[in-house]
Amino acid sequence: MNPVPLHATAEAAWRRLDHADPTLRDVMSAVAGEPGWVVGDLLTTLAADDDGADRVRLGRAELLAAAGREAEILGDGYVRCEYLLLGALGVLGDDDRLARARADFHVLMGDRAFAAYLDLAPRPRPAGAARPPLVLLAGLPGTGKSTLAEALASALPAPVFSMDWQLGALVPFGVLRPDNTGPLSELTLVGAAARQLQLGLGAVIDATGHTQELRARLESLAHSLDATFVGVECVCSDESVHRARVAGRDRGIPGWPATVTWAHVRRMKDRWEDWHQPHLILDTATTTPEDALRRVLDLAARPDPAGA
């Protein structure tokens, strides 16, 4: 198998490693200042996680092969400076540190990609046309997000972009890993919604949305593309009803589990980050589906909706 070629910036860094057995710190010094994708930020995270492994010598051939494997994992045709850093951790055999660095790398790549979506410009709308809505339906599994999303799809009308449906479509290709699933799934939602809003069309996002970052990103995307953002938090105050919904549902998503365990729901509840921005909270244990739909549609029709 032919080795993955070095990118031009990585070639310059590689030439700086003029001794036979560099350390991780040598690699970090060699790539510093190169215009990599996110090399500077990745160097910062590695420096903050310094555990002394940089004192171990790395074989050049082994390092280059490991960097090539990192490029192949990401489907890249070149070894870039970032892969030299990740490859060095692989040669050291520090699996935990490599896993953290890979996860940091994917987050940084997601940040970089998201910035490009914020640079998109909306298409001119006809005179008098309303701003398109971007509705985020967030909440724990089993709180009624998907049911409400399906009703909204018909009522607005607008397409529904579901995180679980998009992830299920990726399962056959083996691209989902613990270090990339979060940034990958969020960016696919951002990309799908961005194109709709750019065309002056609405969209509905069906996702757990447990992080402040994803909510803020979708709201920023809506504002940058002159759309109306509607944030909706679905909850279920009756635990027995909630548990029954989770246990009894079969969503029929190809490639994805029919449901989740109650233990998973509890874990996601622990990971839920406070939602400080104005948004609508719907308790689906006490609110009828018809009333929930009406309240969301009312907000979507307002020029500047606020939570109720």
Side-chain angles (χ1 to χ4, degrees), residues 8-38:
T9 54
E11 281 185 349
W14 189 251
R15 286 195 296 270
R16 297 191 190 100
L17 296 173
D18 53 0
H19 34 78
D21 297 309
T23 66
L24 173 58
R25 184 163 298 282
D26 291 332
V27 178
M28 293 171 67
S29 297
V31 304
E34 289 296 339
W37 289 0
V38 291

Side-chain angles (χ1 to χ4, degrees), residues 11-304:
E11 281 185 349
W14 189 251
R15 286 195 296 270
R16 297 191 190 100
L17 296 173
D18 53 0
H19 34 78
D21 297 309
T23 66
L24 173 58
R25 184 163 298 282
D26 291 332
V27 178
M28 293 171 67
S29 297
V31 304
E34 289 296 339
W37 289 0
V38 291
V39 66
D41 290 332
L42 187 58
L43 280 169
T44 299
T45 64
L46 287 178
D49 193 25
D50 189 354
D51 60 1
D54 57 288
R55 291 190 293 271
V56 179
R57 295 289 172 179
L58 311 172
R60 284 175 62 88
E62 190 178 6
L63 171 60
L64 190 59
R69 287 193 294 272
E70 294 296 327
E72 290 172 343
I73 287 173
L74 291 167
D76 198 336
Y78 291 92
V79 168
R80 302 177 189 270
C81 291
E82 293 83 356
Y83 307 150
L84 289 174
L85 294 170
L86 296 175
L89 293 176
V91 174
L92 290 170
D94 192 339
D95 293 340
D96 289 341
R97 197 177 184 195
L98 176 57
R100 293 194 300 272
R102 280 176 175 164
D104 289 339
F105 175 69
H106 289 300
V107 169
L108 293 168
M109 288 298 294
D111 293 346
R112 177 179 179 272
F114 175 68
Y117 286 104
L118 289 182
D119 287 338
L120 295 175
R123 298 280 182 88
R125 289 197 306 271
R131 298 167 67 192
L134 175 60
V135 182
L136 168 62
L137 300 178
L140 300 177
T143 54
K145 302 186 301 297
S146 297
T147 299
L148 180 55
E150 292 169 4
L152 281 170
S154 299
L156 281 173
V160 176
F161 300 115
S162 165
M163 181 176 288
D164 290 347
W165 276 85
Q166 293 191 346
L167 290 177
L170 296 175
V171 167
F173 303 97
V175 298
L176 298 179
R177 301 185 307 276
D179 57 45
N180 72 0
T181 297
L184 187 155
S185 60
E186 291 185 5
L187 195 63
T188 59
L189 291 175
V190 166
R195 183 55 173 161
Q196 286 292 115
L197 301 183
Q198 188 185 44
L199 296 174
L201 306 172
V204 178
I205 300 292
D206 174 9
T208 306
H210 62 285
T211 66
Q212 295 174 356
E213 184 175 45
L214 177 58
R215 300 173 209 142
R217 283 186 167 179
L218 291 173
E219 186 169 6
S220 296
L221 181 73
H223 292 163
S224 69
L225 290 172
D226 197 24
T228 296
F229 179 76
V230 180
V232 181
E233 179 181 351
C234 294
V235 301
C236 182
S237 61
D238 189 324
E239 183 174 313
S240 61
V241 171
H242 193 179
R243 291 179 72 118
R245 288 178 182 172
V246 171
R249 67 180 183 168
D250 183 353
R251 296 174 295 173
I253 302 175
W256 208 244
T259 188
V260 296
T261 65
W262 185 248
H264 174 79
V265 175
R266 296 292 297 271
R267 285 194 297 271
M268 295 307 299
K269 183 176 182 179
D270 291 339
R271 295 172 60 190
W272 182 270
E273 298 177 3
D274 291 340
W275 197 339
H276 300 294
Q277 288 74 19
H279 66 286
L280 174 65
I281 300 176
L282 289 175
D283 185 350
T284 58
T286 59
T287 305
T288 65
E290 294 77 15
D291 188 44
L293 176 61
R294 178 189 60 77
R295 294 177 67 182
V296 177
L297 289 174
D298 286 346
L299 282 178
R302 298 181 190 177
D304 295 299

